[in-house]
Amino acid sequence: MAENNNGNNGNAVVAEEAGPIVAVVEEKPPCKDKEVGGGGGDVVPAASKSKNPFLEINNLEKALATMTLILSIPVLGFIVWIFYVRDSECESILKLPSFQVGIGVGLIFLFLISNAVVFLRSRCPVLGLLIVMMPLLLVFIIGLALVGAYKMESRSVAASPKWLRLKVFDEAHWQDIKTCIYDTGACDDLVSRTLMLKSYDFSLKKLSSVESGCCTPATICQMEYVNATFWRKKEGGAIIPSDPYDSDCDLWDNDRGNLCYNCISCKTGFLRTLQAKWWKLGVFLIIASLLLFISHLILFLSSVYKQFRT
């Protein structure tokens, strides 16, 4: 019996010593270089857990699509501005408001086509690119014409600098324009705003192009200031013969119905007012068309690359 007890005690001691060993083995962390498969215990390399390149392409494509949609939002805002902005004084005589509405309608179609191509890019990327590039190219060309960016500017493009100059300096149109300027009361408003100003204070006041060109004589005439629309001619005033505004000094009349409405300076002032507005519109068309063109081109390349890899 003693031997049996001793044997049992020995087995117990061995079991107690083996227990921690097993625990240590169980707590051993798995190898970082390999991973056991879920089903049959196969060893799978850890490198297989790297990112999927197709997932990265999808994320890039989604980001480009979102950027294209965001770039089309300013176009929508500009459409609202075109339809609700106040027309420049007397530009309706040149039928520019109808051209302005036409540009707004064209931008609406561009906005719809651009977004439709974004949503349908996976089905027909090549056709979608061709469809969206045609209106973008047309908008870009119109923008270049409005800012007068190239010498061979077409005179048939309404609101281009050359077109505006031809219309404003045409006597048939100018008769209606100067009547419109008089009816708007631009010069009467200038008188009421500067009635209490002295000569020096008036010379420091910033006038619009129409006010300085139509309501006051040219600076080279060196006339004496009485009020905004009444000036005394000085005897023997020095006039530069080669100056294009030389003849304006003889055309000036203190009569409120005449003033300098027939002067070159008045035509130039009205022309600057129109050109400033349409130049800004042309700059927007150029920038918007370029950004949308680049965005759609990159989106098209990513779509083609994705289809090629799959």
Side-chain angles (χ1 to χ4, degrees):
M1 295 294 293
E3 293 178 357
N4 292 334
N5 292 332
N6 291 332
N8 294 333
N9 293 332
N11 292 335
V13 172
V14 173
E16 292 176 357
E17 293 177 353
I21 294 175
V22 174
V24 172
V25 173
E26 291 176 352
E27 294 177 358
K28 185 178 180 181
C31 181
K32 294 182 179 180
D33 295 334
K34 295 184 180 181
E35 181 178 45
V36 179
D42 297 332
V43 178
V44 181
S48 63
K49 299 178 64 178
S50 60
K51 293 183 178 180
N52 189 345
F54 296 107
L55 181 61
E56 296 179 357
I57 295 175
N58 288 333
N59 293 336
L60 176 61
E61 190 177 10
K62 291 178 181 178
L64 291 172
T66 304
M67 182 181 68
T68 305
L69 293 175
I70 293 175
L71 288 176
S72 66
I73 294 177
V75 176
L76 185 62
F78 197 73
I79 292 170
V80 176
W81 178 83
I82 284 180
F83 283 115
Y84 288 97
V85 69
R86 181 175 176 269
D87 298 335
S88 298
E89 298 291 349
C90 306
E91 70 175 0
S92 59
I93 297 174
L94 304 179
K95 300 181 180 180
L96 289 177
S98 58
F99 180 65
Q100 181 173 314
V101 172
I103 292 179
V105 173
L107 289 178
I108 291 176
F109 280 106
L110 176 61
F111 176 80
L112 296 176
I113 293 173
S114 176
N115 291 330
V117 169
V118 171
F119 287 110
L120 301 176
R121 66 186 182 278
S122 59
R123 297 183 181 180
C124 45
V126 178
L127 181 60
L129 180 66
L130 293 176
I131 291 175
V132 77
M133 286 304 152
M134 288 188 291
L136 283 177
L137 181 61
L138 179 61
V139 169
F140 181 73
I141 293 175
I142 293 176
L144 289 178
L146 293 182
V147 300
Y150 51 94
K151 295 181 179 180
M152 300 302 295
E153 175 190 339
S154 175
R155 298 182 180 182
S156 60
V157 179
S160 63
K162 187 175 293 185
W163 185 91
L164 289 173
R165 175 171 288 275
L166 288 174
K167 295 296 182 180
V168 170
F169 280 84
D170 180 65
E171 287 300 325
H173 287 99
W174 182 248
Q175 294 299 323
D176 296 331
I177 293 173
K178 72 176 184 179
T179 301
C180 177
I181 295 175
Y182 176 79
D183 293 339
T184 57
C187 296
D188 293 336
D189 180 65
L190 177 63
V191 172
S192 62
R193 288 188 289 110
T194 60
L195 189 60
M196 304 303 294
L197 296 181
K198 300 298 183 181
S199 176
Y200 178 76
D201 297 328
F202 181 81
S203 64
L204 297 178
K205 190 171 182 61
K206 186 176 181 180
L207 306 180
S208 67
S209 299
V210 173
E211 289 174 343
S212 61
C214 303
C215 306
T216 61
T219 307
I220 62 170
C221 299
Q222 298 184 1
M223 296 185 183
E224 182 181 356
Y225 169 84
V226 177
N227 61 41
T229 58
F230 193 92
W231 299 71
R232 292 194 186 98
K233 294 183 179 180
K234 294 182 179 180
E235 295 294 334
I239 297 177
I240 304 175
S242 59
D243 196 286
Y245 301 107
D246 177 0
S247 59
D248 290 355
C249 300
D250 296 328
L251 293 174
W252 171 261
D253 191 342
N254 286 317
D255 183 5
R256 291 286 184 89
N258 293 323
L259 296 180
C260 211
Y261 292 125
N262 292 316
C263 299
I264 298 177
S265 60
C266 185
K267 298 177 181 178
T268 304
F270 180 74
L271 179 63
R272 287 175 181 172
T273 302
L274 294 181
Q275 288 179 341
K277 171 190 173 180
W278 290 97
W279 183 86
K280 294 176 183 178
L281 196 151
V283 170
F284 174 82
L285 294 180
I286 293 174
I287 295 176
S289 59
L290 283 177
L291 291 178
L292 286 175
F293 174 83
I294 295 173
S295 179
H296 276 285
L297 182 60
I298 297 175
L299 185 60
F300 165 76
L301 294 176
S302 64
S303 300
V304 172
Y305 179 74
K306 176 184 175 182
Q307 292 183 1
F308 177 76
R309 290 296 298 270
T310 54

